[in-house]
Amino acid sequence: MTRPIPIPTFTDNLCYLQPCGGDRALVVDPGDAAVVLDALAKRQRRVEAILLTHQHWDHVAGAAELRSQSRCQVIGVDRSLIPACDHVTSDGQTLTLGDLRMTVIATPGHTRASVCYLVRSNVGDEPGVVYTGDTLFVSGCGRLLECDAATMWESLQRLAALPAETLVFCGHDYALENCEFAVATAPADRRFRDRLAQVERAVEYGQPTVPSTIAQERAANIFLRANDPHVKEALGMANASPQEVLAELRRRKDSFAT
Ligand SMILES: [Zn+2]
């Protein structure tokens, strides 16, 4: 399948065009219709469907205008939260969109109704890409705005169980800050230090830090490693549950300043 095209919007949001055959593309989390329409025109692509990961304005604000301009369907989680939705998804649902196959993964945590979209080719078994919105970031996870840490932990586990080579396309680029947080929290961990060095190099050379892979997230995302004895020890929580460790990591990250 053709790789997604990231469309930076606002300060650090990432919206995506996912080519899905011919001149068609899926649009993921269009916070700003004008920016997306411009990107579509430049690439001479038309919208097949819009995918929304959750209801926050910086992910959905452009959806209604894009829909009226391109007469496409809007796929999302809850019409009471996102009135622009034509098609309300549910966990495990699979839809064929152009020459792609999209599967919905319910991932409550950041919000109650957050979902991720796993997108693969209609033919073949290649691992594909996952759009994670504000649930899983490169080396981070979203804030717990409507759910507790246990709910987020369960959702992160579902994402971590995807094939290792799956590419992770998230809703914001916070990679550098997240890696700095991991090293500040567990400085003895080699995998966090190596990942920070990698991300710093990418930033220095103006290269993108998104996407990562599920394998990279399993290794160097401190939130996914809340059950790891090294991380627990670094926090002084050797006997705590991963849910308690995740809650503490999220608390510390909320007030972390670089
Ligand atoms: Zn959000």
Side-chain angles (χ1 to χ4, degrees):
M1 62 186 271
T2 312
R3 284 272 287 247
I5 302 157
I7 313 288
T9 41
F10 310 121
T11 6
D12 49 35
N13 273 82
L14 290 168
C15 155
Y16 298 97
L17 299 187
Q18 169 65 68
C20 63
D23 66 346
R24 317 288 287 189
L26 309 177
V27 177
V28 183
D29 281 357
D32 183 333
V35 176
V36 177
L37 286 166
D38 186 48
L40 287 162
K42 271 189 194 136
R43 292 168 179 82
Q44 296 183 310
R45 289 201 178 262
R46 290 182 299 152
V47 186
E48 172 79 17
I50 297 170
L51 307 180
L52 303 175
T53 60
H54 66 296
Q55 77 270 22
H56 289 155
W57 70 271
D58 55 326
H59 297 255
V60 306
E65 191 184 334
L66 264 184
R67 177 178 66 166
S68 70
Q69 298 235 2
S70 54
R71 300 184 189 287
C72 66
Q73 61 170 338
V74 177
I75 298 169
V77 284
D78 186 333
R79 202 169 283 133
S80 67
L81 296 172
I82 312 173
C85 280
D86 301 299
H87 185 106
V88 176
T89 58
S90 54
D91 185 41
Q93 185 175 32
T94 295
L95 293 177
T96 299
L97 299 167
D99 58 12
L100 300 177
R101 198 160 30 114
M102 181 277 281
T103 303
V104 180
I105 306 170
T107 50
H110 174 63
T111 67
R112 271 188 294 275
S114 289
V115 293
C116 297
Y117 296 102
L118 178 64
V119 177
R120 287 168 289 183
S121 165
N122 243 336
V123 288
D125 279 334
E126 60 186 59
V129 308
V130 63
Y131 292 100
T132 57
D134 288 358
T135 298
L136 176 68
F137 296 125
V138 171
S139 292
C141 77
R143 285 173 188 263
L144 305 176
L145 298 180
E146 297 179 5
C147 299
D148 60 12
T151 305
M152 178 61 104
W153 176 247
E154 202 173 305
S155 294
L156 293 177
Q157 294 303 105
R158 297 192 73 187
L159 296 172
L162 291 173
E165 312 81 36
T166 308
L167 295 173
V168 176
F169 288 89
C170 48
H172 295 264
D173 183 0
Y174 298 143
L176 184 59
E177 185 189 302
N178 288 335
C179 289
E180 286 169 345
F181 171 71
V183 170
T185 306
D189 196 298
R190 180 77 188 261
R191 284 181 288 178
F192 294 143
R193 295 204 307 270
D194 288 350
R195 189 72 175 114
L196 173 60
Q198 238 176 28
V199 166
E200 280 175 339
R201 257 195 318 276
V203 171
E204 189 184 336
Y205 290 106
Q207 292 163 350
T209 53
V210 178
S212 62
T213 63
I214 289 294
Q216 282 175 313
E217 296 311 314
R218 283 184 208 150
N221 186 321
I222 196 167
F223 298 91
L224 287 189
R225 287 181 47 199
N227 204 23
D228 182 319
H230 297 112
V231 171
K232 289 185 178 182
E233 201 178 314
L235 291 167
M237 300 177 73
N239 298 316
S241 69
Q243 292 84 353
E244 289 166 336
V245 173
L246 180 62
E248 176 61 18
L249 285 169
R250 206 40 271 184
R251 255 194 303 277
R252 291 188 186 202
K253 179 64 175 61
D254 287 347
S255 57
F256 179 70
T258 52

